Structure formats: C-alpha cells, structure tokens
Amino acid sequence: MAEKVLTKAASFYDVYERKSGAQDVTHYCPGCGHGVLHKLIAEAIDDFGIRDQTIFISPVGCSVFAYYYFRVGNIQVAHGRAPAVATGIKRTHPESIVISYQGDGDLAAIGGNNILQAANRGEKITVFFINNAIYGMTGGQMAPTTLIGQRTTTTPRGRTAANEGFPLKMCELISTLESPIYVERVALTDPKNTSKVRRAVRKALRNQIENKGFSFVEVLSACPSGWKMTSVQAKQWMVDNLLPQFPLGVFKDVSKELEPSERSKVVFSTENMNELLNIPSEENIRTDVPKPLTKFQNPRIILAGFGGQGILMLGLGLAQAGMQAGYHVSWIPSYGPEMRGGTANCHVILSEERIGSPTVSKPTVLVAMNLPSLEKFESQVEPGGLIIYDSSLINQSPKRKDVKVLGIPATEMADNLGNTRIANMIVLGAYIAITGIMPKDVVVDALPIFIKHKKLIPLNVQAIEKGMAFVDKNNGHA
Amino acid sequence: MAKQLIKGNEAIVKGAILAGCRFYFGYPITPASEIAEAAAYYMPLVGGTFLQGESEVASIQMLYGAASGGVRCMTASSSPGISLKQEGISYSAGSELPLVLIDIMRGGPGLGNIAPEQGDYNQMVKGGGHGNYKLIVLAPNCAQEMCDLTMLAFELADKYRNPAVILADGFIGQMMEPVEFPAPVTELPEKPWAIHADKNDETRLICSIELEPEVLEAHNRHLQEKYAEAEKNEVRFEEYRIDGADFVLVGYGVVSRVLQTTVDLLRDQGHRVGLLRPITLWPFPGKRIVELSDSVDSFMVVELSNGQMVDDVRLAVNGKKPVHFYNRMGGMVPSPEEIADQAVKFLED
Amino acid sequence: MSKAVGLEKAKVVIREDECKGCNLCIEACPEDVLFEQKYLNRMGYHPAGYVGEGCSGCGYCFYQCPEPGAITVYKKGYVGEEVA
Ligand SMILES: Cc1ncc(C[n+]2csc(CCOP(=O)(O)OP(=O)(O)O)c2C)c(N)n1
Ligand code: SF4
C-alpha cells in the first residue's frame, strides 16, 4: 500500500450513469462485502494498468449490477453461466483480461458444473467467488454454502445435512483438479485478513496478465441483510461461524513454476481456404457425356446387401461419378427404421432434372448383394426396371418377368482378383456397361475422391473393367 | 464448375467458415454430431477454435461470450439439446447478439429417437425461451442450401443483431449431394457495440437486464421494430409448378423435396397442383399465402410433426379456403406416392 | 498540482452523502478517531465522522468501507490536489 492517497479507483466510473437513483453510491446494502471486493479489484486494475483490456462479467445475484461501476468492458450474463461466457470471450480475445465474478448460488449451485468445467479446462481467466453463505439478491434463501443449522428463508428451522446435505466447499473441490494454477480462500473480516484478500486479488489478476492459467479466489463475505444482523455483528458472525467451516489459505498454487507468456490476439485469415477446407477448385464436371437409352435415364437406385460388402461405397462411387458426368445426384444411407439387422442399403438418384424426393420408394434399379435384399426390394422395382444381383451369393434368380435382370458372380470374380471386397466395383462396372449411363473414364476419374487408399485404385479400375467385360460377354449392351 | 459431393452437415461447417466463422462451441448429439466433428477438424486448420462444451446450456453461453466479442460464431445441436439452449437463446436475443444456431431436428418428445422429424418448429419459430423475441429461421432442403443458407444466416444475424437458426432435419444433414462452394467472405462487418478488449469498451455493455419497466418496454419496442424490418425484407420462399395450380402443397425441409415429386405425380394424373416451400420459417411467407388463397381452391400442409407450421398457414389463409393437413411423426418420412394418395382424397372431398 | 508541499499529517475525509452508516470503519480504526454522527444523511443513515486529528493514515477504514468513494485517506507527505 505504497500510495500516498487511498481513494476511489479510476477503474470505477465517476458517476454511475447506468444506475437509477443516487449515482454516486452503489446499490449494495450497508456493510456488504461485495463493495469491498469491488474496491480491491478496481484498485488492482488501476495499478496494473489493464483497464483497457479488462472484461468484467457480472453474474446474477447482488452483483448483477457490477457493470454499473467498473469502467471496463462489461458483459452481464445468465445465472451461473459466467464461466461459460468467460470462456467464449476469452477464447475469442485471448489478449483480454477476463474477470468472472460470482456469488455462491451462482457459482456453486446453478452454475456448479460450469465453474468445474472451466476450471478443468484451465481457462485463462480470473474467478472471484463471493461466498456469503446465502442468496442475498432474492431475499435470504439457502445457498449451497449455507452452514448446518443456519436459518434462511428456505431453511426456517436451520439447514440439516439430512435434507440439504453439507455446505459445498468449492476451493477444496477445485483444487483437486489438475488445470487450475491458483486456488485460495480469503475472508473480508478484519484489516489483516482484508489485506490478504487484496494480495489474492492481485495475484489472481497477475496470473492472467502473465497468461498463466485459471485462478480462483473464494472470498468469505458478509451479508448483513441476509443474515439479519448489523454490519458489525456480521463481521463477528463470520469469524465465529464461517471461518471454522471454511478454512482460509492457499489450496493450490503452481503459478511460480510457470513462465509468463504473451497474450496474443486471434488473427482472422482467409488464405488458402479451398485447400484448407478440401474444396475442389478445378473444373470437375463434364458436359460431354452422352445420354443413355431412355429406359436407363434418370435412375432411382436402391443398393442393398450386408454390412462389409461396400454397399455405401458403391452408392457413393455412383453418385460421385454421376456428379462428375454432369448429373444431378443424391446419395442417402438407409436411415431410421430401415437401419437394423446388419443390412446396409442406400438410395442413389442420378437425374437430368433437379431431384425431388431423395429417398427411393419405387426404384428403377435394384442392386442386391444378398438374398434378404433381393427378397425385400424385388417387388418394389418399377416395371421395365433393372435388377442386378450377385449370383455367387444369391442362388435363386428374381421372379419378376417385367424387369431386366443381370446376375453377376461378383463375389467370386472379386475373389479371383484377390480381394473379396472389390465385388462392389465389379457391380459398378456392370451397371455402367448395361446402361451406358456414363463412360468408364468418368468413373476412373472419380475413384481417387471416394477411395481413401490410393494403392487400391489400380485394383478398383481392374474390377470395373471386369464388370464391364462380363456384361459385354454375357449380356450385350442393352 | 467445381463441385463437391458432400453431406449436408459437413457443408454447413464449410459454409460457416467461408462466411468468416472461426468459433464453434457445441455438445455432441445425433444426428448433428458430424457438424461438431467437421468443425473440430476444420476450425483449427483455419486459425479458429472448436470447443466441446460441458453441455448445450454451456455451449450457447460460450457463444454468448464469443458473440459479445464481435466474432462470427456458431453451435449445432438437435432437438433435446435445443431445449437446453433455450436459456441462452433468450438471453442472446435480449442482448441482441448475432450468432448462428443449427438444429438438425430429431424425433421427440423426450429422448424420442434420432430419425428425422420437424417437431422443433414451434420452439424455434415461436420462441422456446421466455420473452418477446424472434429468431431468424432458415430451412434448407439440400446440401447446397446447407452451405448457402448458413452463410446467409451469418449475414442476417449481423444485419439484425439477432440469433439466426438453420432448422434442418436428419435427412438433409445425412444426405450427400453436390455443392458448389462460393468464395470466402473476406470483409467482416464492423461491430462498434462489441467488446473488443480495448479502451472503447468502457462505454460498452452487453446485457439483457433492465429494471425500469419504461426502459425495458422501450427495448422491447426496439426489438419489435427490428423484427418488423426483417419481416419486410427477409421473407424467402420457393414455388414449384404453382402457375395455374388450384391445390397448393406446403412443406419445408426434406418434406418439400418429397412434395416436389408429389407435384409431378399429381400433375401426371391431371391434377392442377403446385408447391410452396417456405425457406424462411421466420419471417414466414404469410403474405404470399394470403395472395394464393385468393386464386387457389385449397391448401395441403405436410409436416413431420403434429402440425406446427400448419398454424401459420391457417393464420395467413384466415378461413378463406380449406387448409388440409397430412403428417407423419416419430421419424417416418412419407413417400411421394403416399402423399399423392392423400392429396387425391382431399381433392375428391 | 496546486500544492507543492506534502501534507504534514495524515488525514481521513468522509463524504457523508455516500456513507451508509455501517460503522465498519469506526470498528476498524486503531486510533479510535472515527465516530457515528448524530444526524442522518440524505439516505437516512448516520454517517461516520472524523474527530479531526489523530489519523495515522493506515487505511484500515478505507479497506473496510464497501463504498468506492465514501472514504479518502491521505497519508503523511502526500503531495497533490485533494481528490475528495
Ligand atoms: C435461472 C434463474 N433462476 C433463479 C433466479 C433468481 N435468482 C436471482 S439471484 C439468485 C441467487 C443469488 O445468490 P448468490 O449467487 O449467492 O449471490 P448474492 O445475491 O448472495 O450475492 C437467484 C436464485 C434467476 N435470476 N435465474
Ligand atoms: S443482500 Fe447481502 S449480498 Fe446483497 S447487497 Fe445486501 S448485504 Fe450485500
């Protein structure tokens, strides 16, 4: 306390213009600890020269109007949420000094999880926690820190452990976490303890100035109105009752072990966006792909099989290549009630027109890779449609006579290529060969987009070619 | 042209980043988790921040902090999570904070299921939180719009200093379609009201509390004026084969896609049917419905809910013409044929 | 700065209009030079008063007082304008 004059800090507004009524005094009750803690914080902001960088978060509780007083950036927030809001503003403005100021109801009851999580994340903020063992603002109800036996308006016969549990000890809780760097409980009682509060306030702010981490200062504080006592009695009550329950002291301090660092601003950049977002920038839509025969135009396709057969991948390949061939496309995996029992299916539409319903109720093409899929979807296929099925796994042919049917031993052919999982690409080759919906080179161009392992691309090309060759040999171009 | 085949949910994140959003705070929930996952992947790459909050309650408040700081920021969730966010939504509207919320709706009430529903219309369009506020609500129906409307949501949020919402369903989120991504927004709007950690801050305050009834009423009037302005300027809708229609189908989101096919089916059968698809659910294209109610015989609203948007259609039609309603719930999405059959019943009535 | 010379004695100045009469300063003062006025101020409190001498400039009262502007303590040797 080296200054030669102790007076109203410059970090308070000269006139409290946001306040109605007397604009030179606070709204706090006589003898209330909030005012004293405000003074200690404002004095520290002055002394550290951080007024321009400070953002003060006013909670819900008697300090809801702290923004009337502090000449800094002010945010008033919902009950208990100050640590979450503090997280948001500090992450966006790491150069700022963020003070989260909360009462015991705000911090330890409704916002209990918010404070624990912010502490555990090690948000680089400073938290001042006024513990007055009561809800001041709402007229003296029980707080999570209310003492056993203490009468409040909602514990008219005194708090009991059986009904309300024991007082919550936040310093003890928070100091068990790894991230916080400084946790101390102090008390606004006599001048000696008050000077410890002053030191703690400054330390907690200095930690943030030096960009070190999460600091938490619990301040035991009198609420003469809530406790229904005079200010002087209230101080004594704190000494007699609160201090024994809430021991003072440093619960954790690793701040000395940490090197100070710069609080740097977030820089907004839009450089290399497409590359960073993996957005293609080169022309990838062909306009020269010839149309297929009318009966194969605008296919609505259901692809179905069991998980592991690469059904979704097959659909994806069709959609990707279809898009590059210049079609409107949609791909949707089976969703909702359909998605049970180990079967996998997806709906793909390639269309020359804008696509309406992306789900396929009456497919013009069915690709069935196992028997249950064939049985389930065969009847839904539009007359004149196309059914392709894996004849190495399905040993009965479709019953429908009004559709075109192609059985292809895709799994067996894939085995011959040395990889069972490539059966899906054999089917893809067969499909484009029968329908002429797009040439092979469009599909080959599309492969690197949906095949993650680049090593496998030649094998995929081979499989597509095998599928096409099978059609040419057995079926002819339809 | 360069297009990308992409899931709607991922297109949202890329669109957001292209719009200049660098901050994502959220809590995972199916079917919106891909949004969080894509944000977790891309945000750090573009110098942004992704943070998984401890809950939806916390995440929206992190947005409240970030938006107070003047940056573009977003969160995404699905119905049960949106219920939890209502506290922060009301506070953000009260404090006039621009932020973008994505709701990929799922089945309810309660835990419901993860299949697509449209049961959040009321809580987003009518206000699920307390107080006299409105959210700007955009309803995309394809992957391209998941990107484009997300970008628009950031513009509108800033323009009106108000939260803006993308209200979509699991279908539009999960579906892959081609998207042509626009160039990134390089100039973000100045926000002279925001808290910037500089000396101007001492005059600035973000808050929603106002004890004096006169002053709070004035604030509410100001909000209402702002909403009236948005109602004047921001109504968006799309029509399909509406010329000469005497029966108009109304639906949004995935339903509007199904209805497009339904219109084709019914037109093929000789019925004069068209489609009106609201893109902005708030402000609602009520005026257009008023106009239509002069020229058409009746309307049919289709929703994946118990009938929430239909109230707004009925308000606009105001008893002039019948407004039929058809719905599915619990994650059931009707087929175009199913709706067409129902429409024919109404038409023959 | 109007006054070039330092104060020879410490002193405490109380803005009676801002005092809420909680008496915490009076309790804290080790020199016992603060007291409660008999009259009421504009807010209806008995403000604290200073007997006029004996202040050691310890600042105990300042740090017990919840009101930002109610008490100013000048220490011995203070140079400068009176701020309150
Ligand atoms: C969501 C919500 N629930 C309840 C309230 C009512 N409320 C206002 S202040 C308060 C208690 C504040 O007590 P505390 O945090 O201990 O602060 P103090 O007033 O004692 O400083 C409550 C319950 C509210 N504003 N918001
Ligand atoms: S009710 Fe208690 S905490 Fe609130 S201002 Fe009065 S004394 Fe302070």
Side-chain angles (χ1 to χ4, degrees):
Chain A
M1 302 185 196
E3 303 76 15
K4 289 280 178 195
V5 61
L6 300 171
T7 192
K8 186 172 171 180
S11 294
F12 285 121
Y13 293 112
D14 296 335
V15 179
Y16 309 136
E17 282 172 1
R18 291 182 173 129
K19 181 172 177 279
S20 58
Q23 295 186 328
D24 51 357
V25 288
T26 66
H27 68 290
Y28 294 112
C29 305
C32 171
H34 279 299
V36 179
L37 184 58
H38 282 23
K39 281 170 77 171
L40 295 174
I41 294 170
E43 181 193 67
I45 294 173
D46 278 7
D47 292 351
F48 291 140
I50 53 171
R51 198 167 91 199
D52 293 347
Q53 301 140 56
T54 298
I55 298 172
F56 192 100
I57 312 221
S58 305
V60 170
C62 283
S63 46
V64 63
F65 298 122
Y67 66 82
Y68 286 170
Y69 313 117
F70 286 96
R71 191 198 290 254
V72 297
N74 281 291
I75 306 179
Q76 197 292 314
V77 305
H79 199 15
R81 312 296 174 227
V85 176
T87 299
I89 186 82
K90 183 71 182 186
R91 295 288 184 118
T92 55
H93 291 287
E95 75 278 18
S96 65
I97 302 294
V98 175
I99 297 174
S100 178
Y101 186 108
Q102 301 182 261
D104 43 49
D106 197 80
L107 181 139
I110 194 164
N113 192 27
N114 299 123
I115 189 64
L116 274 182
Q117 302 285 340
N120 195 46
R121 285 191 302 267
E123 299 296 341
K124 291 179 174 169
I125 59 171
T126 302
V127 177
F128 295 119
F129 167 38
I130 281 266
N131 178 358
N132 57 15
I134 203 150
Y135 284 13
M137 163 148 267
T138 39
Q141 297 84 7
M142 186 194 76
T145 49
T146 291
L147 302 179
I148 296 294
Q150 188 181 338
R151 285 171 200 251
T152 69
T153 58
T154 51
T155 53
R157 288 163 212 92
R159 178 180 187 156
T160 63
N163 203 45
E164 288 93 8
F166 291 93
L168 257 179
K169 299 188 174 173
M170 292 309 293
C171 277
E172 284 81 344
L173 260 176
I174 288 185
S175 59
T176 63
L177 304 174
E178 278 177 54
S179 298
I181 60 161
Y182 170 55
V183 180
E184 180 167 4
R185 183 183 288 125
V186 287
L188 287 169
T189 53
D190 58 3
K192 193 164 143 247
N193 270 334
T194 302
S195 76
K196 285 189 185 161
V197 180
R198 186 172 178 273
R199 270 206 300 278
V201 165
R202 298 167 92 87
K203 183 176 176 71
L205 282 172
R206 185 180 295 285
N207 283 343
Q208 189 175 175
I209 292 167
E210 294 177 349
N211 205 27
K212 286 183 173 171
F214 181 90
S215 300
F216 183 88
V217 179
E218 175 173 344
V219 181
L220 301 181
S221 167
C223 174
S225 303
W227 299 347
K228 301 188 171 45
M229 300 173 192
T230 67
S231 305
V232 174
Q233 286 168 335
K235 288 257 158 149
Q236 193 57 47
W237 190 84
M238 282 175 76
V239 173
D240 296 342
N241 298 280
L242 276 189
L243 296 196
Q245 279 302 313
F246 293 103
L248 304 184
V250 175
F251 287 79
K252 181 172 183 186
D253 185 6
V254 296
S255 57
K256 280 206 196 65
E257 298 154 29
L258 300 165
E259 285 301 315
S261 61
E262 196 71 23
R263 287 173 284 121
S264 48
K265 281 192 171 187
V266 176
V267 186
F268 178 77
S269 154
T270 55
E271 257 165 63
N272 292 333
M273 268 294 112
N274 280 6
E275 196 186 323
L276 293 172
L277 293 182
N278 183 30
I279 291 173
S281 10
E282 275 170 37
E283 192 94 355
N284 63 358
I285 307 297
R286 295 259 296 260
T287 50
D288 57 348
V289 171
K291 283 190 182 187
L293 292 177
T294 319
K295 64 173 171 177
F296 294 126
Q297 283 172 9
N298 303 325
R300 301 195 307 273
I301 311 167
I302 290 184
L303 306 113
F306 46 75
Q309 279 182 311
I311 299 293
L312 300 187
M313 170 79 90
L314 170 54
L316 216 56
L318 256 175
Q320 177 71 34
M323 177 187 87
Q324 296 187 200
Y327 294 109
H328 293 265
V329 302
S330 66
W331 171 94
I332 177 135
S334 61
Y335 196 73
E338 299 244 303
M339 216 173 74
R340 291 187 208 108
T343 61
N345 70 62
C346 63
H347 299 184
V348 174
I349 298 177
L350 309 187
S351 172
E352 285 159 42
E353 308 276 320
R354 201 176 80 155
I355 296 168
S357 174
T359 56
V360 176
S361 40
K362 291 194 172 162
T364 61
V365 179
L366 169 64
V367 173
M369 298 292 279
N370 65 2
L371 186 58
S373 299
L374 182 64
E375 286 174 334
K376 181 168 177 193
F377 295 112
E378 180 181 345
S379 62
Q380 296 178 17
V381 178
E382 288 264 24
L386 168 68
I387 296 178
I388 301 177
Y389 71 100
D390 186 343
S391 58
S392 35
L393 298 178
I394 305 174
N395 50 17
Q396 67 190 54
S397 43
K399 296 171 197 68
R400 292 279 295 270
K401 295 289 170 261
D402 58 346
V403 296
K404 183 173 172 62
V405 171
L406 173 73
I408 176 169
T411 301
E412 202 181 301
M413 289 165 71
D415 283 340
N416 292 340
L417 282 177
N419 189 338
T420 313
R421 304 177 70 107
I422 208 76
N424 56 356
M425 290 298 127
I426 291 173
V427 170
L428 178 55
Y431 173 71
I432 63 169
I434 292 184
T435 59
I437 190 123
M438 59 187 117
K440 183 185 92 180
D441 59 328
V442 178
V443 184
V444 171
D445 280 352
L447 282 177
I449 307 291
F450 64 94
I451 304 232
K452 292 277 166 311
H453 295 289
K454 301 291 163 257
K455 279 202 322 259
L456 292 177
I457 288 179
L459 179 64
N460 277 270
V461 175
Q462 235 186 324
I464 291 165
E465 285 166 349
K466 287 274 181 219
M468 295 180 77
F470 179 88
V471 170
D472 286 343
K473 201 161 91 211
N474 296 280
N475 213 277
H477 197 286
Chain B
M1 214 189 312
K3 288 189 182 179
Q4 185 163 41
L5 185 70
I6 189 170
K7 274 193 183 184
N9 279 345
E10 205 183 327
I12 282 180
V13 173
K14 293 190 183 185
I17 291 173
L18 291 172
C21 172
R22 295 290 181 276
F23 294 91
Y24 183 104
F25 301 95
Y27 190 83
I29 181 169
T30 311
S33 292
E34 285 107 353
I35 302 178
E37 287 160 6
Y41 181 81
Y42 287 114
M43 281 299 178
L45 293 181
V46 297
T49 295
F50 167 86
L51 184 60
Q52 180 167 325
E54 59 268 30
S55 67
E56 290 84 353
V57 174
S59 309
I60 184 77
Q61 298 292 352
M62 290 172 184
L63 246 65
Y64 185 98
S68 298
V71 300
R72 288 191 164 174
C73 53
M74 72 182 295
T75 186
S77 188
S78 178
S79 313
I82 299 294
S83 300
L84 279 183
K85 285 186 193 288
Q86 291 297 353
E87 173 190 68
I89 291 173
S90 166
Y91 277 75
S92 303
S95 298
E96 297 191 84
L97 290 176
L99 44 90
V100 171
L101 273 151
I102 316 287
D103 178 5
I104 308 295
M105 293 180 279
R106 59 185 251 180
L111 211 43
N113 64 21
I114 61 171
E117 242 201 27
Q118 297 181 324
D120 289 4
Y121 183 94
N122 280 350
Q123 73 160 336
M124 283 314 212
V125 174
K126 305 290 173 182
H130 60 286
N132 316 305
Y133 72 88
K134 284 288 179 192
L135 302 175
I136 296 163
V137 184
L138 307 172
N141 79 351
C142 60
Q144 182 70 53
E145 282 191 351
M146 289 292 243
C147 165
D148 295 349
L149 293 185
T150 298
M151 295 184 74
L152 177 65
F154 281 101
E155 295 299 327
L156 295 180
D158 280 341
K159 181 171 171 190
Y160 294 96
R161 271 192 72 179
N162 202 65
V165 174
I166 297 293
L167 190 66
D169 50 73
F171 238 108
I172 305 295
Q174 299 295 322
M175 183 168 54
M176 286 181 98
E177 286 182 319
V179 173
E180 194 182 349
F181 286 99
V185 173
T186 49
E187 294 284 323
L188 296 179
E190 290 286 316
K191 297 184 182 175
W193 48 266
I195 307 288
H196 286 297
D198 66 29
K199 65 175 179 303
N200 298 315
D201 283 356
E202 66 177 53
T203 58
R204 293 180 187 165
L205 166 67
I206 302 296
C207 86
S208 63
I209 185 171
E210 183 45 71
L211 282 195
E212 298 301 323
E214 294 90 339
V215 183
L216 185 56
E217 184 182 49
H219 177 60
N220 267 290
R221 294 249 181 257
H222 157 70
L223 294 181
Q224 302 312 311
E225 279 163 21
K226 201 169 79 171
Y227 301 149
E229 197 59 25
E231 280 183 311
K232 216 162 63 198
N233 303 328
E234 309 303 344
V235 172
R236 286 166 174 81
F237 57 87
E238 189 188 14
E239 293 175 342
Y240 181 68
R241 300 181 82 171
I242 205 132
D243 281 346
D246 40 38
F247 185 76
V248 170
L249 297 167
V250 188
Y252 70 95
V254 67
V255 172
S256 67
R257 297 286 297 266
V258 180
L259 290 181
Q260 184 192 321
T261 306
T262 310
V263 167
D264 291 341
L265 288 175
L266 290 167
R267 285 265 178 183
D268 287 350
Q269 295 171 23
H271 299 289
R272 302 186 347 148
V273 175
L275 165 65
L276 173 74
R277 171 207 159 210
I279 295 174
T280 49
L281 298 178
W282 193 89
F284 190 71
K287 268 209 189 111
R288 179 59 186 147
I289 291 175
V290 173
E291 283 166 25
L292 285 171
S293 57
D294 284 331
S295 59
V296 310
D297 294 339
S298 58
F299 296 86
M300 173 175 168
V301 177
V302 181
E303 287 182 72
L304 307 183
S305 77
N306 60 336
Q308 304 192 5
M309 182 181 71
V310 67
D311 289 348
D312 284 329
V313 176
R314 290 201 168 116
L315 264 177
V317 172
N318 200 14
K320 266 201 244 168
K321 297 286 160 64
V323 177
H324 305 291
F325 178 62
Y326 185 69
N327 71 334
R328 297 299 301 265
M329 291 178 284
M332 299 303 295
V333 179
S335 67
E337 293 80 9
E338 174 184 347
I339 299 172
D341 288 350
Q342 189 60 47
V344 168
K345 275 186 209 147
F346 288 139
L347 278 163
E348 286 167 357
D349 252 5
Chain C
M1 299 273 144
S2 53
K3 295 180 190 169
V5 200
L7 284 183
E8 275 171 27
K9 283 191 218 157
K11 68 172 181 177
V12 54
V13 176
I14 291 161
R15 282 190 172 170
E16 293 187 353
D17 271 355
E18 296 184 25
C19 175
K20 290 174 180 165
C22 69
N23 285 5
L24 291 177
C25 56
I26 301 171
E27 283 294 308
C29 177
E31 311 299 334
D32 214 6
V33 292
L34 299 178
F35 67 102
E36 187 184 293
Q37 301 282 14
K38 290 276 172 285
Y39 51 83
L40 299 175
N41 66 5
R42 58 165 185 177
M43 292 186 284
Y45 298 119
H46 292 285
Y50 173 42
V51 297
E53 56 188 310
C55 170
S56 68
C58 69
Y60 282 13
C61 59
F62 178 82
Y63 287 109
Q64 289 294 304
C65 175
E67 271 306 314
I71 294 182
T72 299
V73 175
Y74 299 92
K75 297 188 179 182
K76 189 174 160 202
Y78 170 73
V79 181
E81 283 179 10
E82 290 206 3
V83 289

